[in-house]
Amino acid sequence: MLNPPTNTVLFLMGPTASGKTDLAIKISQKIKSRLISVDSALIYQGMDIGTAKPDATILSTHPHYLINICKPSDAYSAQDFITDAKAQIELAFNNGELPILVGGTSFYFNALEHGLSDLPESTPGSREKYNQLLKTKGVIALHQDLQKIDPVAAERIHAHDAQRITRALEVFDISGQTLTKLQGKKQGGLNCTIKKIILMPDRSELHQRIQTRFHLMLEQGFIEEVKTLKAKPELHQDLPSIRCVGYRQAWQFLNKEIDEAEMIERSIIATRQLCKRQSTWLKNETEGLTLKAADLEKSVNFIQQ
């Protein structure tokens, strides 16, 4: 087992279905490491199949931190992630481990590396207020409210992005200032060396993996998983957890809004669109090791340089 380089963090990034988890585990078998998830879907308990969460056997032999830390009804912000990730990085350094931050949530990676704007923190009361508004008014009406308050932010935020819409409204509610006005002053970021490995298979290969993986999820009981979630009275379609790709479409299928064939098609298309967004962001990551396929030897040599 190799010792990690001093004061160094590894960002292992890639679009969905690129094989990040497998490579992270292989690296951890060569270099003393702590695996830290950077995924806004894997945080939720009870959402295992549709998020392609590592199974219980893998998690018992190769623990991934920041997985299964929230209920699907909980709010979890980028600031929450930064706080939790920094605590895990500190633990890794104290234990002589390489923190391997592995996942596909670009906003989390960016916030951790560069910091966040100085925005007011959420409160339990404000979170509850906007969760209730989501239920009563719906995400489209809230987006229209945001357009009146902060048209610049409304233009930037998708009309169905419930989490970012409610956060922008909440910021204005708490501070009296718009998200657009408060953004720009960033604080935080990591005070250490960041090495980046970007796993980027060809687009056609990713598309095939996405299709194959979704059909496997169905065989593993994905619809039953969503039925279990749907039976919980505190969960609804506008929550960030239920808006995760696949879950939203399965929820619509169970509501009889779409048939099974359309649910499958929409889920695969939505996952491919997510893959495209992730890939577009990663193309701007020019300082690092980019691999078309997992290469353990190249990865370890890059980390040790």
Side-chain angles (χ1 to χ4, degrees):
M1 184 75 71
L2 298 170
N3 289 321
T6 305
N7 198 40
T8 297
V9 168
L10 176 66
F11 283 9
L12 178 46
M13 304 181 286
T16 188
S18 58
K20 301 179 295 293
T21 299
D22 288 345
L23 180 57
I25 289 171
K26 287 176 181 175
I27 292 171
S28 73
Q29 291 168 341
K30 291 288 186 181
I31 301 173
K32 189 180 179 185
S33 304
R34 174 173 287 244
L35 300 174
I36 304 166
S37 173
V38 186
D39 192 301
S40 59
L42 298 190
I43 60 172
Y44 296 117
Q45 300 159 5
M47 294 176 61
D48 304 329
I49 298 170
T51 60
K53 190 177 291 178
D55 63 32
T57 302
I58 291 173
L59 292 178
S60 66
T61 55
H62 298 91
H64 286 55
Y65 297 89
L66 306 192
I67 284 181
N68 293 330
I69 57 172
C70 294
K71 296 176 182 176
S73 55
D74 291 343
Y76 189 80
S77 68
Q79 184 59 62
D80 292 329
F81 169 76
I82 289 175
T83 301
D84 292 343
K86 283 186 172 180
Q88 290 297 329
I89 290 168
E90 190 65 27
L91 284 170
F93 287 160
N94 291 340
N95 292 335
E97 299 166 331
L98 172 69
I100 300 179
L101 288 109
V102 54
T105 301
S106 55
F107 183 56
Y108 282 3
F109 274 118
N110 193 61
L112 185 60
E113 180 176 6
H114 300 293
L116 281 172
S117 303
D118 188 15
L119 302 177
E121 290 191 13
S122 295
T123 66
S126 66
R127 287 180 179 178
E128 177 62 23
K129 174 182 176 178
Y130 284 100
N131 278 337
Q132 287 301 319
L133 283 171
L134 265 178
K135 288 182 182 179
T136 56
K137 294 184 71 171
V139 67
I140 298 298
L142 290 183
H143 189 260
Q144 290 169 349
D145 291 344
L146 181 60
Q147 284 177 322
K148 297 170 189 173
I149 294 167
D150 188 353
V152 175
E155 176 69 24
R156 189 174 68 249
I157 298 172
H158 193 278
H160 290 286
D161 192 336
Q163 187 167 15
R164 294 179 68 197
I165 291 166
T166 53
R167 178 59 178 148
L169 291 169
E170 181 187 48
V171 164
F172 182 76
D173 198 7
I174 294 171
S175 69
Q177 298 183 73
T178 64
L179 182 70
T180 300
K181 184 173 181 180
L182 290 173
Q183 282 179 328
K185 294 180 180 178
K186 291 194 174 183
Q187 58 181 12
L190 290 178
N191 186 25
C192 59
T193 301
I194 299 174
K195 292 198 169 188
K196 299 178 182 180
I197 296 176
I198 299 101
L199 198 53
M200 186 67 77
D202 289 333
R203 181 73 58 86
S204 59
E205 183 179 351
L206 285 169
H207 282 191
Q208 184 57 53
R209 287 187 194 177
I210 287 166
Q211 181 171 326
T212 301
R213 187 175 71 177
F214 189 73
H215 284 285
L216 179 60
M217 288 174 179
L218 293 174
E219 291 174 15
Q220 292 171 334
F222 175 50
I223 298 301
E224 290 302 316
E225 179 174 271
V226 181
K227 279 183 183 177
T228 301
L229 295 169
K230 204 168 182 298
K232 298 179 186 293
E234 70 274 19
L235 300 184
H236 55 87
Q237 276 181 286
D238 289 324
L239 285 170
S241 56
I242 306 306
R243 298 202 68 79
C244 290
V245 293
Y247 287 88
R248 176 159 52 102
Q249 292 79 11
W251 198 281
Q252 291 170 330
F253 166 62
L254 292 172
N255 278 343
K256 302 190 185 319
E257 296 170 26
I258 55 177
D259 62 22
E260 184 179 27
E262 189 171 1
M263 179 270 293
I264 292 170
E265 182 181 14
R266 286 190 183 188
S267 297
I268 292 170
I269 289 171
T271 311
R272 287 175 174 174
Q273 288 170 339
L274 169 64
C275 177
K276 183 179 180 181
R277 292 194 298 273
Q278 292 170 322
S279 300
T280 299
W281 178 75
L282 287 167
K283 283 176 182 175
N284 296 320
E285 291 288 343
T286 55
E287 295 181 5
L289 173 66
T290 300
L291 300 169
K292 277 196 171 186
D295 189 315
L296 180 59
E297 186 177 353
K298 281 185 179 179
S299 298
V300 170
N301 289 340
F302 173 74
I303 295 163
Q304 295 292 97
Q305 284 174 1

